Amino acid sequence: MNRVVILGSAGSGKSTLAKQLGGCHHIEVVHMDRLFWKPGWIMSTQAELAAKQKVHLDKPSWIIEGNYSGVWDERLALADTVIMLDLNRYLCLWRILKRWLLNKGKSREDMGPGCSERMSLEFIKYVWNYPTKKRNHVMSSALEQANHAQIVILPSKKAVKKFLRQNACT
């Protein structure tokens, strides 16, 4: 695993898994949210995001977590491993609500600087609807584009823990 892409719903644990893998394998972790969001929750354009991502893609190793399908083609083409976190919506909802409560008013390291933790009904709906509106697109499109890579689908917290153990990360 030298070039790893981690995909999944908000709250599925992409950032946490990326940090764990990056730490135990000494690979730089890139958070797509951090690249996308400018201070004050201002969005980057697709061109800006692609340019920011390209800086990392040119490196020999990386772990990039986050979906952003508008710029994932090159990332997936270069990946040797694609991990899909396919956890249930209840767990993802619980995690985003817990994250919001614990980080209200603070900026997390995996977000853009100056982007304090926030929550909205729109975001809650996005997470709730992810399994029916986004999951299949991610599974089919992204995983098809990376058919040259090792594909790992982790459907539970138990599967994530097992994967970390198998990859010498515990």
Side-chain angles (χ1 to χ4, degrees), residues 4-23:
V4 180
V5 171
I6 302 176
L7 305 171
S9 174
S12 63
K14 297 181 302 292
S15 296
T16 301
L17 178 59
K19 290 177 208 172
Q20 291 169 315
L21 286 174

Side-chain angles (χ1 to χ4, degrees), residues 57-70:
L57 296 179
D58 289 340
K59 297 175 183 176
S61 64
W62 37 257
I63 297 171
I64 301 178
E65 66 86 10
N67 298 333
Y68 293 91
S69 61

Side-chain angles (χ1 to χ4, degrees), residues 3-9 14 53 62 64-85 130 133-153:
R3 292 180 164 185
V4 180
V5 171
I6 302 176
L7 305 171
S9 174
K14 297 181 302 292
Q53 176 182 253
W62 37 257
I64 301 178
E65 66 86 10
N67 298 333
Y68 293 91
S69 61
V71 296
W72 72 14
D73 291 354
E74 190 175 3
R75 183 178 355 142
L76 290 168
L78 294 171
D80 60 35
T81 306
V82 177
I83 301 169
M84 173 67 183
L85 293 174
Y130 184 89
K133 295 195 176 184
K134 295 286 185 184
R135 178 191 176 275
N136 289 343
H137 170 69
V138 172
M139 293 289 264
S140 62
S141 298
L143 302 182
E144 182 180 305
Q145 289 179 46
N147 61 6
H148 61 280
Q150 173 189 1
I151 305 295
V152 179
I153 299 172

Side-chain angles (χ1 to χ4, degrees), residues 21-33:
L21 286 174
C24 69
H25 292 286
H26 310 289
I27 299 174
E28 177 186 15
V29 173
V30 179
H31 304 282
M32 290 302 294
D33 281 337

Side-chain angles (χ1 to χ4, degrees), residues 119-142:
M119 183 61 60
S120 67
L121 183 56
E122 181 182 340
F123 186 56
I124 292 169
K125 287 179 181 178
Y126 173 83
V127 173
W128 179 257
N129 291 320
Y130 184 89
T132 55
K133 295 195 176 184
K134 295 286 185 184
R135 178 191 176 275
N136 289 343
H137 170 69
V138 172
M139 293 289 264
S140 62
S141 298

